[in-house]
């Protein structure tokens, strides 16, 4: 087992309501302490209420996206400075749903990660291959390409990001990567980070894609898997709490 403390992040995606959020956060707060760091990444409108609910606790919170721009006429965008204004800790960038549905490319993802870090918000940078790419034997090339531009763009700050490996074919499908499949990619990513920064050994690389209470412990036991980015199961209090406990 590595000495890196595990991190479990719930990605609520576009789910929630004020009532449902209060119930979910209340349950998570009540289940502490966890032996791992725990965060929730919530839709933008719920950021401030989440900040108030979690104030004074060790639960962290974040956003699911951030603009690459500092400020300006970018209707609908939310800047890193605005997130920082609320004390936001994390911003997911480059999630495969944003890459697929909003045509986000590697350079934009890298620019968003840089904008976040510039304001003290930790980017959780997502990489991952599609099923077709995996079947074509392209997994390594795809994830390396996705990560390399981020490493290059962040330069000496690269060690401050969190990386999340999320195979697209495992997201929301109930078809999770086996612990061995996930570990193999995590090891590749760690090696790529090591070539760029001496701090790679302490950087967190999360796994995401159909993590559930019954597979979390085996995934988290892998030497280069430092926790999880949890979608569907993060909306169910009992499941999310069980996953956080599996990381402890
Ligand atoms: P699921 O856990 O629902 O597969 O989603 C994973 C994910 O996309 C987290 O960012």
């Amino acid at each position: 087992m590595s000495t890196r403390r595990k991190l479990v992040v719930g990605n609520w995606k576009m789910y929630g309501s004020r009532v449902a959020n209060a119930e979910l956060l209340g349950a998570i707060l009540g289940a502490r302490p966890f032996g791992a760091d725990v965060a929730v990444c919530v839709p933008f409108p719920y950021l401030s209420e989440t900040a108030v609910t979690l104030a004074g606790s060790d639960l962290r919170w974040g956003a699911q996206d951030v603009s690459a721009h500092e400020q300006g006429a970018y209707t609908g965008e939310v800047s890193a400075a605005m997130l920082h204004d609320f004390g936001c800790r994390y911003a997911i960038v480059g999630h495969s749903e944003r890459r697929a549905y909003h045509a986000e490319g590697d350079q934009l993802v890298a620019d968003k990660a840089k904008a976040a870090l510039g304001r003290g918000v930790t980017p959780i940078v997502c990489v991952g291959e599609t099923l077709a790419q995996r079947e074509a034997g392209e997994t390594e090339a795809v994830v390396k390409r996705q990560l390399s531009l981020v490493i290059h763009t962040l330069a000496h700050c690269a060690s401050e990001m969190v990386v999340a490996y999320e195979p697209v074919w495992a997201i929301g499908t109930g078809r999770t990567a086996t612990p061995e499949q996930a570990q193999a990619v995590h090891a590749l990513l760690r090696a790529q980070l090591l070539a760029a920064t001496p701090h790679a050994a302490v950087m967190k690389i999360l796994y995401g894609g159909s993590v559930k209470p019954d597979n979390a412990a085996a995934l988290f036991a892998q030497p280069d898997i430092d926790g999880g980015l949890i979608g569907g199961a993060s909306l169910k209090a009992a499941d999310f709490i069980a996953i956080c406990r599996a990381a402890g």
Side-chain angles (χ1 to χ4, degrees):
M1 288 288 284
S2 81
T3 54
R4 292 180 293 273
R5 187 174 162 85
K6 296 271 192 292
L7 170 64
V8 177
V9 180
N11 173 9
W12 289 4
K13 307 194 179 184
M14 200 173 73
Y15 291 101
S17 68
R18 295 182 68 195
V19 170
N21 301 349
E23 208 173 302
L24 180 54
L25 290 174
I28 301 168
L29 280 168
R32 291 171 309 137
F34 301 114
D37 294 330
V38 174
V40 288
C41 287
V42 309
F44 286 130
Y46 299 130
L47 284 175
S48 69
E49 206 162 52
T50 300
V52 170
T53 304
L54 301 185
S57 83
D58 55 355
L59 290 182
R60 306 166 179 189
W61 53 278
Q64 299 170 14
D65 187 24
V66 63
S67 177
H69 303 286
E70 186 74 10
Q71 63 173 9
Y74 300 104
T75 302
E77 294 269 276
V78 174
S79 73
M82 294 170 186
L83 297 179
H84 178 73
D85 230 0
F86 283 100
C88 180
R89 174 89 178 234
Y90 297 106
I92 297 172
V93 299
H95 192 280
S96 65
E97 287 150 16
R98 295 211 61 86
R99 291 179 190 260
Y101 308 143
H102 301 273
E104 292 194 6
D106 293 335
Q107 187 61 60
L108 179 61
V109 171
D111 290 343
K112 287 183 170 196
K114 187 174 182 178
L117 267 185
R119 292 292 179 161
V121 176
T122 300
I124 300 175
V125 178
C126 302
V127 300
E129 81 287 2
T130 64
L131 186 58
Q133 289 166 331
R134 173 161 284 263
E135 286 175 346
E138 294 168 2
T139 299
E140 178 170 351
V142 168
V143 299
K144 279 188 163 172
R145 189 199 69 228
Q146 290 174 333
L147 191 58
S148 73
L149 213 48
V150 181
I151 290 173
H152 178 77
T153 302
L154 297 185
H156 65 279
C157 296
S159 62
E160 290 167 41
M161 71 175 148
V162 170
V163 175
Y165 169 55
E166 296 208 316
V168 179
W169 48 272
I171 295 176
T173 58
R175 183 179 165 187
T176 187
T178 65
E180 295 72 26
Q181 281 175 322
Q183 165 58 26
V185 178
H186 280 234
L188 281 175
L189 295 171
R190 177 101 46 212
Q192 188 179 0
L193 291 167
L194 261 176
T197 165
H199 303 296
V202 297
M203 289 178 67
K204 292 191 205 303
I205 307 178
L206 311 182
Y207 170 78
S210 297
V211 178
K212 306 289 178 203
D214 62 358
N215 60 23
L219 286 160
F220 298 162
Q222 297 298 312
D224 287 295
I225 299 182
D226 306 316
L229 185 53
I230 320 299
S234 75
L235 299 166
K236 298 178 192 147
D239 285 6
F240 189 62
I241 289 163
I243 292 167
C244 293
R245 292 203 169 124

